[in-house]
Amino acid sequence: MIIHVIRKGETLNQLARKYGVEAARIERVNELPDRDRLVIGQALLIPLLARRHTVREGETLRKIAQQYGVTVRELARINGISNPERITPGMVLYIPARRHVVEEGETLAQIAQRYSTNLRELMRINNVQGAGDIYPGLVLLIPFERPVIDVNAYTIEMGEEGARQVRETGAYLTYVSPFAYIMRADGGLESINDTATMEAARAEQVVPMMAITNFTASNPGSRLASTILGSRELQDKLLTNAIDIMRRKGYRGINIDFENVFPADRERYNQFLQRAVERMHAAGFFVSTAVAPKVSGDQKGLLYEAHDYEAHGRIVDFVILMTYEWGYRFGPPQAISPLNQIRRVLDYAVSVIPRNKLFFGFQLYARDWLLPHRQGQEAQTFDMQEAIRRAIKYGAAIQYDSATQSPFFQYVDEQGRMHEVWFEDARSAQAKFDVVKEYGLRGISYWVLGYPFPQNWQLLQSNFQIRKER
């Protein structure tokens, strides 16, 4: 996929001609709210199979073209380079996929072996089902090698809506976590209507992961956590109840999300996790945790102190970093998932947790704050598509903050009030995917399904192979 940022006066038809792609395909991939009204600064995905290359000192366009087996002319055209002699270190180039012309007697398996690529992936990107779909002279695109990762997504919707979300995104998921079974002070768990979601997960070959938590929108859960962590009997009861539900419903593992835990309960929480792993592993289940985004081991605050990264990394099978919510709905406007802050979290996390146990937390929603911001005033939360619709409606130019790697814009509504919107787009998603590769993380965890962001799923698949359980 190529990312193109709209400049003043550009139209969809112009982009189609520039990249040699049908305008309808660009419209479909981006699910454009209005194909005739593009916004300055809007990032669009161009559906061409391509990878990114950052120019290094001493490299020439000819040398790069030879490295990837493409022509200089094609490389210059796709990247809008008028003078092939003028490329500079740090410049990001899109490299088009290699092409193979099928010869008489060749099979798909032979072609895949020749290019050291995955047969199933070769078939997928060329939309061929088998030997009967290829013939001499057919041009096949050769897929790029992509790292394999795990992908989790939480869903807060139950019943048929939760099932629909899983059906729509199941091809991109390794795990799905209906959120959540809420603990009771007696060690019980509040039931949720997850039957339809579980059925959809099985149909999509997605591993269902049970999520248990101590907090609700109206209760931070600190005292509840302390009650459970202070009693071996209550912990055993909680784990017994969880295992019973997992066996009955078909869950394969558990995600433990104790939040706002009192600092004094830190070691008790670690001991509970060890107990949980022993019980769950013996029963054939995996164990994961969700932790607040810390930048040091001694970071103060109720959200952070009891989350012992080093202990979690040693004890459980994997850890989900909740790397979002800097742009809190009751706080001042700012990037929800600022990459400069997330890097600080990752730098600390990888120093104490094995990289193959870490999941990067990725939010799927946008926010709109009224200006000037007043304490206690709540921002509106909605999906990325709505962010684009508002930019179109109010004629706002989208800006991109290079420090946080996040898009934003301001507009004045019908009542004359100023608003500021922070969201995600193809550029910010790609920046996050690049960081996942850079740090060698196990995967990505999305909070939360139900907010349409079509560009994300397209880019996710073009950057990674998503592990699916057999």
Side-chain angles (χ1 to χ4, degrees):
M1 292 285 181
I2 290 177
I3 300 171
H4 180 94
V5 181
I6 297 297
R7 295 186 288 269
K8 185 177 181 179
E10 284 188 317
T11 68
L12 194 61
N13 288 334
Q14 287 174 339
L15 295 183
R17 288 193 295 272
K18 175 178 179 178
Y19 292 106
V21 178
E22 292 179 356
R25 285 191 66 202
I26 301 174
E27 180 182 11
R28 185 167 58 251
V29 164
N30 294 278
E31 294 186 17
L32 295 177
D34 188 338
R35 61 172 287 153
D36 297 321
R37 296 180 66 190
L38 302 180
V39 179
I40 295 173
Q42 181 179 358
L44 296 186
L45 283 179
I46 309 299
L48 286 175
L49 189 62
R51 67 178 297 174
R52 289 152 59 93
H53 175 92
T54 302
V55 177
R56 295 184 291 270
E57 191 72 44
E59 285 188 319
T60 65
L61 207 60
R62 184 171 301 281
K63 186 181 294 186
I64 295 168
Q66 290 173 344
Q67 177 183 340
Y68 291 103
V70 298
T71 66
V72 172
R73 183 176 181 179
E74 180 72 356
L75 200 54
R77 185 186 68 81
I78 284 181
N79 290 281
I81 298 172
S82 56
N83 184 350
E85 303 303 320
R86 297 187 65 182
I87 62 170
T88 56
M91 188 181 210
V92 175
L93 300 179
Y94 286 102
I95 312 297
R98 287 182 292 178
R99 290 169 168 79
H100 176 85
V101 180
V102 177
E103 297 177 358
E104 187 73 43
E106 275 191 317
T107 67
L108 285 166
Q110 288 171 338
I111 296 168
Q113 185 177 24
R114 173 177 174 177
Y115 291 99
S116 301
T117 192
N118 181 274
L119 175 59
R120 180 176 295 183
E121 186 66 7
L122 178 68
M123 295 168 67
R124 184 189 69 80
I125 68 168
N126 289 284
N127 195 30
V128 297
Q129 304 302 315
D133 293 332
I134 68 167
Y135 49 86
L138 176 68
V139 178
L140 296 177
L141 296 175
I142 306 302
F144 296 107
E145 184 180 351
R146 296 168 299 156
V148 179
I149 64 166
D150 288 0
V151 179
N152 174 61
Y154 292 98
T155 175
I156 57 175
E157 296 292 342
M158 299 300 151
E160 180 52 36
E161 177 58 22
R164 182 191 65 79
Q165 292 174 4
V166 173
R167 286 193 294 269
E168 286 184 353
T169 59
Y172 312 104
L173 303 179
T174 310
Y175 308 102
V176 66
S177 303
F179 196 84
Y181 283 83
I182 299 171
M183 308 166 201
R184 296 199 304 258
D186 63 357
L189 288 160
E190 299 288 346
S191 63
I192 60 175
N193 179 22
D194 52 2
T195 302
T197 303
M198 297 292 287
E199 291 174 354
R202 284 190 287 271
E204 296 293 330
Q205 292 184 294
V206 177
V207 175
M209 179 165 59
M210 181 184 185
I212 65 171
T213 191
N214 62 314
F215 82 99
T216 65
S218 59
N219 187 340
S222 303
R223 295 198 178 280
L224 174 59
S226 190
T227 298
I228 291 172
L229 296 176
S231 166
R232 174 70 179 262
E233 181 183 352
L234 287 176
Q235 292 174 44
D236 287 340
K237 185 176 179 181
L238 177 66
L239 293 171
T240 296
N241 286 328
I243 289 171
D244 178 64
I245 293 170
M246 292 164 75
R247 285 173 171 160
R248 184 159 37 88
K249 295 287 187 75
Y251 283 104
R252 301 272 295 280
I254 192 167
N255 181 238
I256 299 172
D257 181 22
F258 277 54
E259 299 196 26
N260 306 303
V261 178
F262 291 134
D265 288 323
R266 174 186 171 113
E267 191 51 42
R268 293 191 187 96
Y269 188 21
N270 292 342
Q271 292 167 359
F272 168 72
L273 292 177
Q274 185 63 57
R275 201 164 292 133
V277 166
E278 291 168 1
R279 293 274 314 264
M280 293 290 171
H281 281 186
F285 302 116
F286 63 81
V287 179
S288 65
T289 56
V291 297
K294 298 177 65 168
V295 298
S296 69
D298 58 0
Q299 187 168 340
K300 301 301 181 186
L302 185 63
L303 286 175
Y304 312 106
E305 290 183 64
H307 284 179
D308 185 339
Y309 273 31
E310 187 172 1
H312 287 234
R314 182 179 67 253
I315 295 168
V316 304
D317 297 298
F318 59 86
V319 178
I320 293 172
L321 302 174
M322 294 187 285
T323 39
Y324 35 77
E325 284 296 294
W326 275 266
Y328 180 51
R329 70 183 191 278
F330 287 109
Q334 60 177 305
I336 302 167
S337 300
L339 205 50
N340 55 344
Q341 297 294 345
I342 291 174
R343 280 183 174 276
R344 296 179 64 213
V345 175
L346 290 175
D347 286 341
Y348 170 59
V350 299
S351 73
V352 291
I353 301 175
R355 294 170 191 257
N356 63 359
K357 287 189 175 186
L358 282 171
F359 278 66
F360 182 111
F362 192 141
Q363 113 279 348
L364 286 175
Y365 50 87
R367 287 214 166 113
D368 182 327
W369 285 265
L370 272 174
L371 297 178
H373 174 72
R374 295 183 177 85
Q375 188 174 1
Q377 183 174 276
E378 182 176 3
Q380 188 179 2
T381 302
F382 46 75
D383 60 78
M384 309 306 175
Q385 297 297 85
E386 174 61 20
I388 297 299
R389 284 191 289 269
R390 291 190 186 194
I392 292 172
K393 179 179 179 180
Y394 295 104
I398 294 171
Q399 302 177 66
Y400 193 76
D401 183 69
S402 59
T404 62
Q405 294 285 294
S406 299
F408 69 100
F409 61 89
Q410 293 184 338
Y411 71 90
V412 178
D413 67 18
E414 293 84 352
Q415 297 171 291
R417 301 177 300 178
M418 180 69 78
H419 293 247
E420 187 164 306
V421 176
W422 287 85
F423 65 111
E424 302 286 337
D425 66 5
R427 290 168 294 182
S428 63
Q430 183 62 58
K432 289 176 171 60
F433 296 153
D434 288 343
V435 165
V436 171
K437 296 174 191 175
E438 176 188 339
Y439 281 81
L441 305 181
R442 174 167 174 162
I444 295 168
S445 180
Y446 288 100
W447 179 270
V448 57
L449 294 181
Y451 293 98
F453 186 12
Q455 291 180 329
N456 165 76
W457 305 110
Q458 297 285 340
L459 272 176
L460 178 72
Q461 191 171 62
S462 70
N463 277 271
F464 304 104
Q465 292 185 59
I466 298 146
R467 190 176 65 84
K468 302 289 283 188
E469 289 280 333
R470 299 293 181 187

